[in-house]
Amino acid sequence: MSTRRSPIQAMLATAVGGILSHDEKLVKLGLKGPALMAWLQQKDIGVPAALHEVHSLSSDAVMARVDSDEVIVESMPDEPLRQQILTALETPLPGLYRVPQQTVTFFLPREEAGCLVLAQACGVNMTSVTPETIVLTRVAGVSCGLIAHSRPKARFRLWVDYTYAPYLWGQLSQITSELP
């Protein structure tokens, strides 16, 4: 979900001490249905093979397999794969559905500071999670999708429902402000 022109835009506009950040330009595209995997293969679109696997498409774009027949693509609006999928979706196909995505994306570095934040707010030890995997967990009591990226940008990507984004931003901001 884009936060442009939304009530939370001003709150998210500022990075907290350079640790917590948000990129409002990223957009998500969800796809689901029993025909999805065959359709993606037919279109020569590489899909993560395993459940909860994440493929990096470019420096900011990812495709995450969140269910056996569901993927989420997050990218800049002009990402070529996004455009390819949108063009292909112009012809309806039984068993393939577009799923609205209403999540906001936050970023934390995968260095000590980001790990300290998650150690205080998340029950999963993210330092032991395989990179390029999405973990469905709770952060500060809020359900999130949490991706540990490796290189080139070693960071954590948090997907949170936009209705909980202000609360989570506040909680993570508080934690980051208390770091040494």
Side-chain angles (χ1 to χ4, degrees):
M1 168 179 192
S2 172
T3 57
R4 289 179 288 263
R5 296 177 303 279
S6 78
I8 63 173
Q9 178 187 11
M11 180 191 70
L12 300 176
T14 309
V16 180
I19 297 173
L20 180 62
S21 64
H22 163 73
D23 188 343
E24 72 174 34
K25 296 177 200 125
L26 291 171
V27 293
K28 294 178 191 70
L29 174 63
L31 301 167
K32 185 175 186 160
L36 175 63
M37 294 307 152
W39 181 80
L40 289 171
Q41 288 176 345
Q42 176 189 6
K43 300 293 180 189
D44 276 338
I45 298 172
V47 66
L51 187 60
H52 299 151
E53 185 178 338
V54 177
H55 283 182
S56 291
L57 307 171
S58 65
S59 65
D60 288 316
V62 295
M63 178 186 284
R65 187 164 183 181
V66 294
D67 201 353
S68 61
D69 62 355
E70 183 175 6
V71 297
I72 297 172
V73 176
E74 180 175 54
S75 66
M76 294 294 179
D78 61 351
E79 171 71 30
L81 177 62
R82 177 182 168 75
Q83 298 305 319
Q84 179 185 357
I85 292 171
L86 289 172
T87 300
L89 285 173
E90 290 174 2
T91 305
L93 178 69
L96 178 62
Y97 312 97
R98 187 169 174 181
V99 180
Q101 297 297 307
Q102 298 185 340
T103 58
V104 174
T105 302
F106 298 153
F107 294 102
L108 284 168
R110 273 194 70 193
E111 55 195 35
E112 184 178 354
C115 291
L116 286 172
V117 170
L118 289 177
Q120 293 182 50
C122 180
V124 175
N125 179 359
M126 291 303 293
T127 60
S128 65
V129 172
T130 304
E132 311 311 328
T133 302
I134 186 167
V135 176
L136 304 176
T137 187
R138 295 175 72 78
V139 176
V142 177
S143 295
C144 296
L146 186 52
I147 301 169
H149 289 291
S150 55
R151 303 286 171 219
K153 291 187 179 180
R155 62 187 179 178
F156 296 106
R157 179 184 303 239
L158 289 84
W159 287 343
V160 59
D161 183 279
Y162 77 98
T163 58
Y164 293 104
Y167 167 79
L168 184 59
W169 183 266
Q171 296 299 305
L172 295 176
S173 296
Q174 179 66 35
I175 294 168
T176 58
S177 71
E178 295 171 358
L179 291 178

